[in-house]
Amino acid sequence: MNTFTQSALSSPVSSVKLKAGDFKRVKDLLYEYCGIFLQEGKEALVQSRLMKRMRKLGIGSFSEYLDFIERPESGGEFLAFVDVLTTNKTHFFREAQHFEFIRKHIIPTMGGRNAKWWSAGCSTGEEPVTTAITLHEARRTTPWSSVKILATDISREVLKVAKNGVYPSSRMMDVPDSIRRKYFESIGNDEFKVKGQVEEMITYGRLNLTEDWPLKGNFQVIMCRNVMIYFNRQTQQQVVQKFYDQLQPGGFLFLGHSESVSSNNKGFKNLAPAVYQKI
């Protein structure tokens, strides 16, 4: 059980404010660990998210909490710190034009080849599930042999959701009824679980994009959408170069529509909004 100083426990968490110095420490720690550049103006978001964690631990000040996560006896609290600040929600069929591009321009070229795809920054799993569904739907008219999808994220919390493959009906609003009936099963409590034919295509794992990657590469498609907006220019360049190295010749890279590699790496050509091909 964790124990803390009496001074920390004497102040209710709800009454403390995130001071400028503490916010700078949060920014520095997050950047040091995972390359995320936390912009000014995010103080309220950081405060509300860290408060929830501090209440759970019984810590009454931000400075005490930040001291705690850097101590060896914290029991890996730094990972929980990263989880809290990097956990975000997404939705099925997000940026639908990307999946239309996959249907029209990538799947017809696959033929009987086996292929590896990668969803980097997969959050709660909607992107790799949508990708697997898109591939399955196209198989009726354009046969392909086998595709394995690697889905990674830095947050342990979102990966738990992704691996479980269970979503409430409120998260299914963008899924057409015909797709929902074919690829999800109702399990009660107004929840739906991804069926096996989709689950079997996806392997989930935790990966920090700013660390060394234990990957063998040769991916045909890498999707990393709305992730690099959290990196500064130097980190973006490093990650894009790693993606280039992991792609097979002619492979495709999908980014978010507010992201670009045109000024970072000359090894890609732009085919469509936020869609790049390795030269």
Side-chain angles (χ1 to χ4, degrees), residues 118 209 213 222 224 228 231-247 253-255 259-268 276 278:
W118 179 15
L209 290 178
W213 301 349
I222 296 176
C224 186
M228 294 208 297
F231 298 149
N232 64 14
R233 179 61 63 85
Q234 180 181 0
T235 304
Q236 289 176 359
Q237 291 174 339
Q238 293 170 349
V239 173
V240 167
Q241 182 60 50
K242 288 182 178 181
F243 285 146
Y244 181 87
D245 295 339
Q246 293 288 336
L247 278 168
L253 174 64
F254 290 80
L255 300 179
E259 301 166 328
S260 171
V261 303
S262 58
S263 62
N264 295 340
N265 191 299
K266 304 303 182 183
F268 289 98
Y276 299 86
K278 180 175 178 176

Side-chain angles (χ1 to χ4, degrees), residues 164-183:
N164 194 30
V166 174
Y167 301 92
S169 59
S170 59
R171 301 282 290 278
M172 305 288 292
M173 296 178 62
D174 297 303
V175 180
D177 288 342
S178 60
I179 298 296
R180 177 180 54 78
R181 290 191 297 268
K182 187 183 299 186
Y183 296 104

Side-chain angles (χ1 to χ4, degrees), residues 18-191:
L18 183 69
K19 298 178 181 178
D22 292 331
F23 182 67
K24 183 179 184 305
R25 287 183 67 189
V26 170
K27 289 177 60 177
D28 290 345
L29 288 170
L30 200 60
Y31 180 74
E32 178 185 350
Y33 185 73
C34 53
I36 291 178
F37 183 73
L38 192 62
Q39 297 179 343
E40 301 294 332
K42 299 292 186 180
E43 291 86 347
L45 176 65
V46 169
Q47 177 171 307
S48 64
R49 289 192 174 187
L50 290 185
M51 272 187 175
K52 293 178 182 179
R53 182 63 184 169
M54 289 160 57
R55 289 193 187 101
K56 185 174 182 178
L57 296 174
I59 301 179
S61 78
F62 288 102
S63 60
E64 182 87 6
Y65 176 69
L66 295 172
D67 288 341
F68 172 65
I69 65 175
E70 294 190 88
R71 296 203 298 263
E73 61 267 31
S74 70
E77 179 59 26
F78 203 92
L79 292 177
F81 166 81
V82 172
D83 284 347
V84 167
L85 295 179
T86 60
T87 298
N88 295 288
K89 291 184 178 180
T90 182
H91 56 82
F92 292 103
F93 296 96
R94 183 179 187 179
E95 297 178 353
Q97 59 270 41
H98 280 171
F99 296 100
E100 184 65 20
F101 184 94
I102 289 172
R103 283 190 290 267
K104 288 184 176 180
H105 302 289
I106 298 181
I107 293 176
T109 69
M110 291 170 58
R113 294 181 299 159
N114 296 334
K116 295 197 305 180
W117 293 35
W118 179 15
S119 172
C122 68
S123 189
T124 43
E126 285 88 339
E127 179 178 274
V129 169
T130 302
T131 302
I133 290 173
T134 300
L135 288 163
H136 266 286
E137 285 294 288
R139 201 168 201 168
R140 293 175 298 175
T141 56
T142 309
W144 46 266
S145 180
S146 174
V147 177
K148 296 295 184 182
I149 302 170
L150 173 66
T152 65
D153 201 278
I154 193 173
S155 170
R156 299 171 302 171
E157 296 303 312
V158 297
L159 285 173
K160 288 179 184 177
V161 177
K163 290 178 180 178
N164 194 30
V166 174
Y167 301 92
S169 59
S170 59
R171 301 282 290 278
M172 305 288 292
M173 296 178 62
D174 297 303
V175 180
D177 288 342
S178 60
I179 298 296
R180 177 180 54 78
R181 290 191 297 268
K182 187 183 299 186
Y183 296 104
F184 296 84
E185 59 180 326
S186 175
I187 59 173
N189 298 321
D190 208 23
E191 292 182 322

